[in-house]
Amino acid sequence: MTAKKGTKYGKYLINGPFKTIDHYTGTSLLAHNGEYDADVCIGYHCLADTRYKADMPHAHDFHELLCFIGGNPKNITDFGAEIEITLGKEKEVHLIKSTTVVSIPPGLLHCPLIVKKCDPNNPVAFLEISLTRKWPSMAERINAMSPEQLANAPASILERLTPEIKKQISPDKLAILNKLKKK
């Protein structure tokens, strides 16, 4: 539905924002920059294969819900995937094999999150809800990490650090990340 122009409440009907993201199937709904003028960020994605992986363990100062929902709208418990998530400093590994909501309180270390198996004929809806107005940038997330967390980061993070992102990372944190190359 499109909002009627000149109405009092039409501004509350927001179409999108939609985005195509390589590691998801189809079009995603992604609002991480205050698009809804609310203290929440959301992403709604389709997982139909094993391309998605969040390999960087991290924590943040807001609550986050990661919802893995069977893609059949008539039976959301019809779940065609296996998704692995690691939680806590102890690195507890959990295997999600049914419709599940992972409730992550502020400060809880989480990830890697890896789609191990996914049936392309029975995809999974992945709904992420973060109780923050704006999702922190990669540089902000790295700057908030402890030296220990950074030292244990996967070397693959270096592939995502563009020169622009590197300029925004504190020199001491960047030095820790650069040591990952040598591992």
Side-chain angles (χ1 to χ4, degrees):
M1 172 172 214
T2 305
K4 290 182 184 179
K5 292 185 180 186
T7 64
K8 183 175 180 180
Y9 301 108
K11 64 183 176 183
Y12 299 120
L13 284 72
I14 302 165
N15 189 299
F18 302 110
K19 188 172 183 179
T20 301
I21 304 169
D22 290 340
H23 50 264
Y24 297 117
T25 302
T27 303
S28 292
L29 173 70
L30 187 67
H32 279 184
N33 290 301
E35 293 89 345
Y36 299 138
D37 194 25
D39 292 334
V40 66
C41 290
I42 65 169
Y44 182 84
H45 317 282
C46 177
L47 299 174
D49 54 43
T50 58
R51 288 178 290 165
Y52 180 76
K53 178 168 80 168
D55 54 358
M56 177 68 136
H58 63 282
H60 24 68
D61 61 358
F62 50 85
H63 206 108
E64 181 175 45
L65 300 173
L66 302 179
C67 310
F68 300 95
I69 305 163
N72 176 352
K74 292 184 177 180
N75 180 7
I76 63 168
T77 63
D78 182 10
F79 196 81
E82 289 186 7
I83 300 166
E84 185 178 277
I85 187 165
T86 303
L87 298 172
K89 63 182 179 188
E90 302 85 359
K91 300 180 182 175
E92 278 186 10
V93 177
H94 297 268
L95 188 61
I96 298 167
K97 296 177 15 176
S98 61
T99 294
T100 300
V101 175
V102 182
S103 181
I104 303 170
L108 179 63
L109 190 65
H110 56 286
C111 288
L113 184 139
I114 302 165
V115 178
K116 300 291 230 175
K117 289 177 18 180
C118 197
D119 180 354
N121 297 312
N122 188 13
V124 170
F126 174 32
L127 173 63
E128 44 153 317
I129 304 167
S130 299
L131 300 183
T132 184
R133 181 167 291 266
K134 186 173 185 280
W135 188 258
S137 69
M138 179 178 274
E140 289 169 325
R141 292 190 310 261
I142 289 170
N143 285 329
M145 294 175 77
S146 71
E148 180 186 36
Q149 289 171 329
L150 285 172
N152 290 310
S156 61
I157 190 174
L158 297 169
E159 298 166 14
R160 297 190 300 252
L161 297 182
T162 64
E164 185 60 37
I165 293 171
K166 286 181 181 179
K167 288 180 196 172
Q168 299 169 35
I169 298 172
S170 70
D172 58 320
K173 304 280 173 111
L174 196 54
I176 295 168
L177 288 173
N178 285 329
K179 289 180 185 176
L180 293 175
K181 290 181 190 176
K182 299 171 184 160
K183 284 186 179 181

